[in-house]
Amino acid sequence: MQEYGVTKVDPIEQTKRSAMQLIIRYWFLCVSVFFLAGSSDCASFILNTGNFIDEDNIKNGDIVFQRGLNALSRFVVSVDDGAVYSHVGIVYKSSAGTFVIHVLPDNDGETDAVVQIEAIGDFLSPHNTSQYAIYRYRDECSKISEQAAASALFLFRDRCGYDYKFDYRDHDRLYCTELVWYAYKNANIDLIDGRFEYVSFPFYKKRYILVSGLLKSEYLKLVMKNSIKRSF
């Protein structure tokens, strides 16, 4: 596992990162305007009472896929063929409860986004989730999942930052799918077997670790999935 030490901030690199954050936020704003024009998702809805999360059936290292309700989530799904979900995290269980370790870009632009840990009930809150699925490493007798969860916890404790460059080769910073992939890579499992997908995003034309790539992994099996049904 890669060790993360305290490093001195390069002013030039910091300026580049700040500029990239502004570009991403502007891009997300444009996307939101595009998808919200004519969207009726702001209407009231009734939650499916069957949206129960069985935490007893969730294990360390399980991978939680989530689809949000906002325009950005719809955009992510639209550019990732075969993906039903737009975000992903990895489960860490302790005596305090069941948590999801994940990373998102910052919202306010004032602070640097870092890997975070969140109670699974909050991560899959019906206020920001339309559907979810939980997958597990197939060999449940091995310690792979436990090692991956421990790796993710290390990244959280070390406050590993969000990767605005979306560069899977640089592990000093991570984006959401990269975090899950890297946590299992540290347990000697490459969930995508080196198959990085080429996608042409605005400002980002390169190979990525996509949500659909993780979903198609031969190392994973479905444990549970659910949707929040809405009635308009």
Side-chain angles (χ1 to χ4, degrees):
M1 184 183 303
Q2 180 174 336
E3 293 288 335
Y4 294 92
V6 177
T7 58
K8 188 175 181 180
V9 177
D10 183 343
I12 296 178
E13 187 62 31
Q14 183 64 42
T15 300
K16 290 180 179 178
R17 186 185 308 157
S18 298
M20 192 60 66
Q21 289 172 335
L22 289 173
I23 291 172
I24 290 176
R25 281 194 293 276
Y26 176 74
W27 172 37
F28 286 173
L29 176 61
C30 292
V31 169
S32 298
V33 171
F34 174 78
F35 277 100
L36 286 175
S39 170
S40 60
D41 281 0
C42 294
S44 60
F45 59 89
I46 300 172
L47 298 181
N48 176 16
T49 55
N51 189 45
F52 173 72
I53 303 170
D54 182 9
E55 293 189 31
D56 291 336
N57 194 32
I58 298 174
K59 297 184 178 181
N60 255 339
D62 282 355
I63 299 174
V64 186
F65 295 89
Q66 180 238 37
R67 180 164 180 170
L69 298 172
N70 59 25
L72 177 57
S73 294
R74 293 194 292 274
F75 174 75
V76 171
V77 171
S78 73
V79 297
D80 183 1
D81 291 338
V84 178
Y85 309 100
S86 56
H87 187 47
V88 65
I90 186 168
V91 169
Y92 175 76
K93 297 194 75 167
S94 72
S95 58
T98 304
F99 302 90
V100 179
I101 298 173
H102 64 114
V103 64
L104 287 166
D106 70 294
N107 292 321
D108 55 21
E110 299 298 326
T111 56
D112 193 15
V114 295
V115 173
Q116 56 188 284
I117 189 168
E118 190 174 13
I120 193 166
D122 294 331
F123 183 79
L124 297 177
S125 166
H127 298 293
N128 53 36
T129 302
S130 62
Q131 55 186 306
Y132 67 88
I134 299 177
Y135 281 70
R136 179 172 298 156
Y137 183 66
R138 287 187 178 277
D139 186 359
E140 296 188 40
C141 295
S142 74
K143 298 294 183 181
I144 297 297
S145 296
E146 294 281 350
Q147 293 169 7
S151 174
L153 183 64
F154 177 86
L155 294 167
F156 161 70
R157 288 176 172 170
D158 201 57
R159 295 180 59 80
C160 181
Y162 185 83
D163 183 8
Y164 290 96
K165 295 180 179 178
F166 298 97
D167 185 357
Y168 64 83
R169 296 163 298 185
D170 180 4
H171 307 310
D172 288 339
R173 292 180 163 272
L174 305 167
Y175 54 95
C176 74
T177 50
E178 184 187 3
L179 186 155
V180 172
W181 170 77
Y182 185 55
Y184 269 87
K185 199 76 162 56
N186 282 332
N188 296 315
I189 294 295
D190 182 354
L191 292 175
I192 60 173
D193 283 330
R195 294 190 292 268
F196 301 94
E197 302 288 342
Y198 182 81
V199 179
S200 180
F201 286 103
F203 314 111
Y204 293 98
K205 298 180 180 180
K206 59 176 69 174
R207 294 192 179 276
Y208 298 86
I209 302 166
L210 299 180
V211 172
S212 60
L214 294 177
L215 282 169
K216 293 183 292 187
S217 175
E218 297 179 354
Y219 298 98
L220 303 177
K221 63 180 180 180
L222 178 65
V223 176
M224 67 178 78
K225 65 178 179 180
N226 205 347
S227 298
I228 298 176
K229 295 181 180 179
R230 292 175 289 171
S231 178
F232 297 98

